[in-house]
Amino acid sequence: MEILGQPFVLHYLNEGLRQGRLSPSLFFVGPDGVGKRLCAIELAKCFACEELADRKIARATKKINEWVNNESLPRCGNCQACRKISENNHADVLLINRDLQATILKEKLGSQTAIKIDSIRYLNKFLSLKPIESQRRVVIVDEAHLMNTEAANALLKILEEPPQQAQLILLANNEQALPSTVRSRCAIVRFRSIPVKIMSDWLEREHAVSESKAIELADRSGGSFEKALAFKDEDRPSTDLSDYTLDEFFTLLASTNWKKEGRKRAETAVTQLIESSQKKLEEGDLNQRVRLQTLLDARKHLDNNVPAKLVLENLYIKLEGVR
């Protein structure tokens, strides 16, 4: 798969692969939904791709040069090894995430709110074995910022003496959430939000979204592929905040589980109101200008992680003033 909007990341990884000097411990950090996990998976393919096997070294060298020039990573993506990695079914690649930890601990998925030492022990055992089909054994730790102190200390011991032929990739949205002792033993690779143009082109090309809608989704997403797709596929209820009285609205707020569903619910409501206001403005209702700006400001607050309940409370009061 394509890794979009991260030219500096690709250049760094390609140079490390080409020179054989890629750090055995990488820390991918950046906002959610910008391609960190995808990039880690595609990097794992570089160590296993059958097109780059030693028996085809001349051909492999040519392909590496071609891929580097095209700002991609050196793997074919189509061989059996690459397909296995895409399907999370390769003997030498392990993805540590909440699903796996639930399996390891024999617990419910919903209870996995932190990465625990059991997952790190499992990781250590996996890395201690020699590769079977690949140049390196690769472990990807998703949401590494969720490691508890015990898990981080166990990981630190592995980082201090990493096993041979091992590649560890940590993924996190918050660099400071990991102890400095862990960060200092990794090569930090920073991912950036995806530019609107790249995002909108991708939505048009891969998801058959119209040009105007793609630009609107890209702008709203804050540079996150995941958010863009969530906005595209979200349910669109027919209710509007203006359907509620003040008392009814705050009753609705009180009944919402904000910890689990509040942000998505708020984003859905604001998105619906924006689209409704834009439509009315296009139909000639000039009174929508102030209302629309108020809604766009609310969306920015949500994108900046202002508490969703507070955003909606303030939005309702402001909309009351512009009715």
Side-chain angles (χ1 to χ4, degrees), residues 90-204:
H90 194 283
D92 294 319
V93 180
L94 176 68
L95 176 62
I96 298 287
N97 58 14
R98 301 188 196 203
D99 287 327
L100 180 62
Q101 181 168 275
T103 301
I104 294 171
L105 299 177
K106 297 180 181 180
E107 296 176 350
K108 293 182 178 180
L109 177 60
S111 66
Q112 309 310 309
T113 57
I115 297 177
K116 303 175 183 177
I117 193 171
D118 303 82
S119 291
I120 304 305
R121 288 170 176 161
Y122 192 90
L123 174 161
N124 189 31
K125 184 176 180 180
F126 180 86
L127 285 181
S128 66
L129 302 175
K130 292 183 178 180
I132 300 172
E133 302 173 355
S134 178
Q135 297 174 27
R136 296 187 187 185
R137 291 215 116 186
V138 181
V139 173
I140 302 167
V141 182
D142 200 8
E143 298 182 299
H145 51 275
L146 297 181
M147 278 191 293
N148 61 27
T149 301
E150 194 177 26
N153 289 336
L155 179 65
L156 179 59
K157 294 179 181 179
I158 299 172
L159 294 173
E160 288 173 342
E161 297 182 23
Q164 291 185 344
Q165 297 176 298
Q167 181 69 58
L168 180 64
I169 310 173
L170 309 179
L171 313 180
N173 59 22
N174 182 1
E175 181 176 341
Q176 301 304 316
L178 269 65
S180 59
T181 49
V182 171
R183 301 196 308 267
S184 65
R185 286 166 174 79
C186 299
I188 299 178
V189 184
R190 293 182 173 84
F191 285 68
R192 301 181 179 183
S193 298
I194 307 301
V196 170
K197 174 61 175 173
I198 292 176
M199 177 78 73
S200 61
D201 287 348
W202 175 76
L203 287 167
E204 288 184 63

Side-chain angles (χ1 to χ4, degrees), residues 192-228:
R192 301 181 179 183
S193 298
I194 307 301
V196 170
K197 174 61 175 173
I198 292 176
M199 177 78 73
S200 61
D201 287 348
W202 175 76
L203 287 167
E204 288 184 63
R205 182 175 67 253
E206 301 295 333
H207 295 276
V209 177
S210 68
E211 181 180 359
S212 59
K213 187 65 175 177
I215 293 173
E216 189 259 334
L217 289 173
D219 184 54
R220 287 170 49 201
S221 72
S224 167
F225 289 113
E226 290 180 3
K227 282 189 176 182

Side-chain angles (χ1 to χ4, degrees), residues 22-93:
L22 191 66
S23 171
S25 303
L26 296 170
F27 180 18
F28 288 3
V29 62
D32 288 333
V34 298
K36 299 188 300 294
R37 187 183 305 108
L38 171 63
C39 189
I41 291 171
E42 297 304 310
L43 179 60
K45 294 177 183 179
C46 298
F47 302 116
C49 180
E50 295 168 6
E51 288 292 321
L52 304 181
D54 288 342
R55 63 181 180 275
K56 302 175 181 177
I57 190 64
R59 184 179 180 186
T61 301
K62 180 180 179 182
K63 282 187 173 292
I64 288 176
N65 289 332
E66 290 176 354
W67 277 315
V68 170
N69 291 335
N70 289 330
E71 295 188 339
S72 184
L73 288 175
R75 81 285 185 227
C76 72
N78 298 314
C79 67
Q80 186 177 24
C82 287
R83 291 198 302 272
K84 283 183 178 180
I85 293 173
S86 291
E87 297 164 1
N88 195 21
N89 190 34
H90 194 283
D92 294 319
V93 180

Side-chain angles (χ1 to χ4, degrees), residues 219-259:
D219 184 54
R220 287 170 49 201
S221 72
S224 167
F225 289 113
E226 290 180 3
K227 282 189 176 182
L229 291 180
F231 288 142
K232 170 182 173 292
D233 297 331
E234 68 189 1
D235 293 332
R236 300 181 183 276
S238 59
T239 58
D240 189 304
L241 294 187
S242 59
D243 291 337
Y244 300 94
T245 66
L246 191 63
D247 288 340
E248 290 172 339
F249 178 71
F250 283 102
T251 298
L252 173 67
L253 290 183
S255 66
T256 301
N257 186 340
W258 290 97
K259 186 174 181 180

